[in-house]
Amino acid sequence: MASPAAEGEAVTAGDAVSAGFAELERQQQLLASCTRLYRQLEEHFSSLERGLAARSDSLRHKRRAAEARVSRALDELRRRELSIDGSVSRALDHLDELAASAGGEGGAGSIPHEAASVAESLRALCARMDSAAFFGFVVARRKEVDALRVEMPPALKCCVDPAKFVMDAVADVFPVDRREVKNPTDLAWACVLILEAAVPALADPDPEIGAARPLVPRAERERAREMAREWKEAAERKGGVEWTKPPDAHAFLQHVATFAVAEREDRGLYRRIVVSFSWRRQMPRLALTLGLEEEMADIIEELIAKGQQLDAVNFAYEAGLQEKFLPVPLLKSYLEDSKKTSSTISDNSSTSSGQSGSNANKKEQSALRAVIKCIEDRKLEAEFPLEDLQKQLEELERAKTEKKKATSSASSGGSSGPATKRIRASNGGPMPPAKAGRLTSNACVSSTPAATTFVRSPSHTSYTTASPYPYDRPVGHGVYCNQSPPAFREPYVYPAKEVANVGLGLPYPSSPMSYPPAYGGYNNGLGAYNNGLAPAFRQAYYR
């Protein structure tokens, strides 16, 4: 038997072993926790390093791009500085030519505008610096806008001061409408046309620089800045540029670009206008002219997010980013979205009149035509064949034509109103009984009708008074007059079985009227009827 001392030593040794194992487990958990924290810290620092490396690469690329732009700008400035003397010489020569041509022409400017061509009229007005008449002439010749767009730039070069002339011409309409008699006609399109034509007229005569340096005197440039500020203030009073009319916003951007008065602090405003009215054809070019070339990628992404893929394609080509924003997938996505929108309109709108379905068809056709034109303009036929698109367009046009035909046929034959024309019987018989009513003196019923007068129809003899078939009709039937007699509110329709039961037992008294031979002796009794029966008239006679 073990002693108590030995038992105590055994218990102490067991407790020590348990405590040692517990300490080992604690150390193991601590080591696992430290390992996990180390891995998390390692991943965190690795992500920081990757982010710093990416930002460093981006900054490096931006720095190189900025250095390249600065180098190009410096070269451009040096080249423009060296070309000043030559540009001044060319400008003076141009003024001498204008003076000589004005002295040689004499009174050529007084030629009536109606008798002269568009080019001659524009040149005469520009040579006289008659800005008011010039603007009125452009507005009056709106139908000849293509000729105006071609002839206006060379005509504006005949002005002594094209910048002043153009601003005077548009001053009554832009930046705000100052006309004494408010006219609802929007003339912003004429301002855009004139401002676009002024760009080549103000361009430096140096062939290498050209429109990059517009020849605008300092006083006129300050006036152009003031006009731009006035337009911005007027737009803010109206609720912002998004609430302005598209031609007005376009005229503002074209004004800033034409006279080179773009401000760095206004680039956010320019971008808002460009994105809001991106569907206008000149917006991509104006965005680059106004200094938004660095933001073109962001603008394109914003347009794609808004579902304006077609506009994004135009912006990408104008900025040279078509490799980054592939046009064909964007065009396909645009067609899919337009088709979904059209189907949604057709499903959700009421189609009782067919108007919503027609609108959906028009929207889909417009989308197809726009995509086809974009493919042709960008020479994308090899990547995006036009055959399928043209077939879809033909099917939509065919469906539209068939729907129009169905609608017209339904509207013409679907509802039967009162018969206004007399119809002959199918067996070649005489005219219906309405003819007799129109032969009487009381052809129309007054507001207080007199006693009803019955007239026997020339197409048949009437039954006796006791007969249950009142063939006799009151004069002034509602088919031919404004009010029907009170005795017959509705036309009488003869049941087929009643007409069939008419026999020879009912007498046909002689007619009180004398009929011409053309009626075949209907007044001679039954001998006039080949089958011995009165003719059964169609119901159409009494409708």
Side-chain angles (χ1 to χ4, degrees), residues 161 163-164 167 216-225 259:
D161 190 349
K164 181 179 184 302
M167 280 188 277
V216 182
R218 182 174 300 175
E220 303 305 327
R221 195 181 294 272
E222 291 300 324
R223 181 186 176 188
R225 286 196 178 95
F259 298 105

Side-chain angles (χ1 to χ4, degrees), residues 168-197:
D168 289 342
V170 302
D172 285 343
V173 180
F174 179 87
V176 294
D177 194 345
R178 295 185 176 87
R179 291 175 290 178
E180 295 180 358
V181 179
K182 294 299 181 181
N183 193 331
T185 304
D186 188 3
L187 300 180
W189 66 269
C191 298
V192 172
L193 189 64
I194 295 173
L195 291 169
E196 286 180 345

Side-chain angles (χ1 to χ4, degrees), residues 45-118:
F45 283 110
S46 298
S47 64
L48 289 177
E49 289 178 357
R50 290 192 297 270
L52 289 174
R55 293 183 65 181
S56 299
D57 292 340
S58 176
L59 291 174
R60 191 179 299 109
H61 290 309
K62 289 183 178 179
R63 186 189 66 183
R64 291 175 181 174
E67 290 176 352
R69 286 196 301 271
V70 169
S71 177
R72 288 195 301 269
L74 291 174
D75 293 341
E76 182 71 16
L77 287 174
R78 283 192 291 268
R79 186 166 60 87
R80 293 175 65 175
E81 185 178 1
L82 294 175
S83 65
I84 289 177
D85 295 337
S87 297
V88 172
S89 177
R90 293 187 186 90
L92 292 175
D93 294 341
H94 179 64
L95 287 176
D96 294 339
E97 292 176 0
L98 290 178
S101 61
E105 291 177 1
S110 60
I111 298 176
H113 303 158
E114 294 78 5
S117 64
V118 173

Side-chain angles (χ1 to χ4, degrees), residues 97-397:
E97 292 176 0
L98 290 178
S101 61
E105 291 177 1
S110 60
I111 298 176
H113 303 158
E114 294 78 5
S117 64
V118 173
E120 293 173 351
S121 301
L122 291 174
R123 284 196 297 270
L125 292 171
C126 291
R128 297 205 313 264
M129 292 289 289
D130 192 348
S131 58
F134 177 83
F135 188 81
F137 179 83
V138 172
V139 171
R141 297 297 184 98
R142 181 171 188 173
K143 295 183 179 180
E144 304 176 50
V145 65
D146 294 332
L148 291 173
R149 185 175 286 110
V150 173
E151 300 295 342
M152 206 180 299
L156 289 174
K157 292 182 179 180
C158 299
C159 297
V160 176
D161 190 349
K164 181 179 184 302
F165 179 81
V166 169
M167 280 188 277
D168 289 342
V170 302
D172 285 343
V173 180
F174 179 87
V176 294
D177 194 345
R178 295 185 176 87
R179 291 175 290 178
E180 295 180 358
V181 179
K182 294 299 181 181
N183 193 331
T185 304
D186 188 3
L187 300 180
W189 66 269
C191 298
V192 172
L193 189 64
I194 295 173
L195 291 169
E196 286 180 345
V199 173
L202 297 174
D204 192 284
D206 189 287
E208 296 183 1
I209 296 176
R213 182 169 60 191
L215 298 181
V216 182
R218 182 174 300 175
E220 303 305 327
R221 195 181 294 272
E222 291 300 324
R223 181 186 176 188
R225 286 196 178 95
E226 182 60 31
M227 293 174 70
R229 283 194 292 268
E230 187 177 357
W231 186 91
K232 289 187 293 184
E233 293 173 358
E236 291 300 327
R237 288 195 299 268
K238 293 178 181 178
V241 296
E242 290 80 7
W243 294 94
T244 59
K245 295 180 180 179
D248 295 338
H250 187 182
F252 167 71
L253 292 185
Q254 188 62 57
H255 171 83
V256 173
T258 298
F259 298 105
V261 291
E263 303 290 345
R264 182 178 295 272
E265 58 270 15
D266 288 338
R267 287 186 178 178
L269 174 65
Y270 303 153
R271 173 172 173 168
R272 286 163 55 195
I273 297 176
V274 166
V275 173
S276 299
F277 308 107
S278 60
W279 45 270
R280 295 185 76 88
R281 178 175 53 87
Q282 299 91 337
M283 284 300 166
R285 176 183 53 80
L286 287 174
L288 294 177
T289 305
L290 297 172
L292 299 179
E293 63 273 3
E294 297 180 5
E295 304 180 27
M296 289 296 282
D298 297 336
I299 291 175
I300 294 171
E301 291 177 355
E302 184 176 353
L303 292 175
I304 295 173
K306 294 171 64 177
Q308 300 173 232
Q309 297 91 336
L310 185 62
D311 300 336
V313 171
N314 295 328
F315 274 77
Y317 270 95
E318 192 69 30
L321 299 174
Q322 63 270 22
E323 298 297 331
K324 182 178 180 180
F325 301 96
L326 299 178
V328 173
L330 290 176
L331 293 177
K332 291 182 178 179
S333 175
Y334 175 74
L335 286 177
E336 292 176 0
D337 292 348
S338 64
K339 188 174 296 185
K340 291 178 182 178
T341 304
S342 301
S343 61
T344 303
I345 293 175
S346 300
D347 295 339
N348 296 340
S349 302
S350 173
T351 56
S352 59
S353 61
Q355 186 66 26
S356 60
S358 176
N359 292 338
N361 190 306
K362 289 180 181 178
K363 288 180 180 294
E364 195 168 352
Q365 287 188 48
S366 300
L368 284 171
R369 291 192 182 96
V371 170
I372 290 173
K373 187 177 186 306
C374 182
I375 293 173
E376 293 174 349
D377 293 342
R378 308 301 179 184
K379 304 296 187 294
L380 297 173
E381 291 87 350
E383 304 177 39
F384 200 164
L386 296 176
E387 288 77 10
D388 294 339
L389 299 179
Q390 291 173 347
K391 288 180 181 178
Q392 295 178 22
L393 185 60
E394 292 175 358
E395 291 176 358
L396 290 174
E397 292 176 349

Side-chain angles (χ1 to χ4, degrees), residues 411-464:
S411 61
S412 61
S415 60
S416 59
T420 57
K421 294 184 179 180
R422 295 173 292 118
I423 306 173
R424 293 186 180 273
S426 59
N427 58 358
M431 287 295 181
K435 180 69 176 177
R438 289 191 291 174
L439 292 176
T440 60
S441 58
N442 296 332
C444 206
V445 180
S446 63
S447 58
T448 56
T452 305
T453 303
F454 292 92
V455 179
R456 304 180 190 275
S457 171
S459 59
H460 57 80
T461 57
S462 61
Y463 291 106
T464 59

